[in-house]
Amino acid sequence: MRLSAVGDICHTLPVIRTLAAAWPDTRITWVIGRLEATLIGDIPGIEFIIFDKSQGRKAHRQLRRQLAGRHFDLLLHMQVSLRASIATLNIRARRRLGFDHRRARDFQWLFTNEKIAARVREHVMDGLFGFTDALGIRERVLRWDIPLSDADRTFAAEQIPAGTPTLIISPLANPRLRNWRNWSIERYAAVADYAEMKHGLRVILTGGPSAAEREVGRVIGDLCHTRPIDLIGKTTLKQLVALLQRATALVSPDSGPAHMGTAVGTPVIGLYATTNVERSGPYLHREWVVNRYPEALRRFAGTTPEEARWGMRVRHPEAMQLIQVADVTAMLDRVLKERGNRSES
């Protein structure tokens, strides 16, 4: 059971790959959210059952019907939310493994009969690997292999032709959340201009289909002296993965695309001031992150990363403005120098 969100699904997938590699004869069923299933729901060898939380009680009835008469040897309850916990009541399993009591928020501990080991101050993905550790599986498989169709790859190749170094900018975290994770639109425009004018990079803007995201793309384009390609609201999650595979680098706040970039091995220049990089940064690319979280904690919360509760967020509208354009362009310079000004062939 892991329903959402896209970034956390990217964190969970290597854990499931690890389980499948260690137990190749095990049949795996993944109860997953509707949007997230569009990203990974066609992975061979895994049965995916969609739980569409927007359907309310209907989603629970559908899950109950789909699982009627089925019994599982083991439930990995990897979602800390009351909605997900209630949904697990439709899953008959002898062993119900969940988080340790401290991390089992929203009463998750009431819905499980086994707990993973208590650990502190670790990355979200490392916390999820606590489930395989609890099952005696020690060797981790950091593999994503998100399936893509020929149409997805063709779409990406049309946007990023071979030999075209490209910077993708995904400017917004979830637009339904308050904007404490979002950076300045004007500063994104400045980075886009720098990438094209200084390095000759093609710049592509990506994001979801909401009105807020489309408006951000329009404003960035208006502010730019160059002409970034605006694909906001014009890609599926699969197409975004295909684009990221061909890109030279990605600039993104703490959001799903940052972890999708990690999944395909593209350098992620993460913009972090409100969330802790060590807990939720791009798992394999934390060296590229522009990290102003310690400064934000000191300035807006009067504490330090060492003293603050692990995972503490800085919900202050000025926190992300601690990140300067020069911080991001300097990191882009470094990525291009160390990784090469390349595109996928």
Side-chain angles (χ1 to χ4, degrees), residues 32-170:
I32 192 170
R34 177 180 56 83
L35 173 65
E36 293 74 15
T38 67
L39 177 64
I40 66 168
D42 55 349
I43 292 177
I46 300 176
E47 175 193 20
F48 288 90
I49 294 179
I50 295 175
F51 182 89
D52 185 356
K53 60 186 180 183
S54 69
Q55 297 295 313
R57 293 182 179 180
K58 182 180 178 181
H60 291 272
R61 292 195 295 269
Q62 290 176 338
L63 181 62
R64 188 179 308 115
R65 284 196 297 269
Q66 287 180 283
L67 297 179
R70 298 181 63 177
H71 297 263
F72 296 88
D73 296 304
L74 172 66
L75 165 67
L76 303 183
H77 186 359
M78 305 172 80
Q79 181 96 29
V80 181
S81 76
L82 185 57
R83 178 191 286 113
S85 290
I86 292 173
T88 66
L89 296 177
N90 299 301
I91 302 172
R92 296 184 180 183
R94 179 172 56 87
R95 301 174 62 190
R96 306 173 68 87
L97 181 61
F99 284 98
D100 58 279
H101 197 283
R102 183 186 64 82
R103 289 181 286 182
R105 298 185 305 276
D106 282 358
F107 305 102
Q108 193 216 46
W109 56 274
L110 290 173
F111 296 83
T112 60
N113 55 24
E114 297 182 31
K115 322 295 180 189
I116 67 174
R119 297 194 301 225
V120 297
R121 308 186 80 81
E122 63 182 3
H123 193 278
V124 171
M125 189 185 296
D126 293 323
L128 293 170
F129 269 115
F131 284 82
T132 50
D133 291 344
L135 299 173
I137 302 170
R138 297 290 179 256
E139 185 174 351
R140 298 181 178 184
V141 178
L142 293 180
R143 182 169 67 88
W144 286 265
D145 290 349
I146 297 172
L148 298 175
S149 69
D150 290 341
D152 296 326
R153 297 184 190 279
T154 298
F155 170 83
E158 290 171 349
Q159 304 300 325
I160 308 177
T164 307
T166 300
L167 176 68
I168 292 179
I169 297 177
S170 179

Side-chain angles (χ1 to χ4, degrees), residues 226-242:
T226 55
R227 298 183 64 84
I229 299 169
D230 186 357
L231 293 183
I232 292 177
K234 301 174 184 177
T235 65
T236 66
L237 289 179
K238 295 275 198 184
Q239 289 171 336
L240 178 54
V241 171

Side-chain angles (χ1 to χ4, degrees), residues 12-22 43-44 141 143-147:
T12 306
L13 182 53
V15 180
I16 304 306
R17 295 289 196 193
T18 296
L19 180 64
I43 292 177
V141 178
R143 182 169 67 88
W144 286 265
D145 290 349
I146 297 172

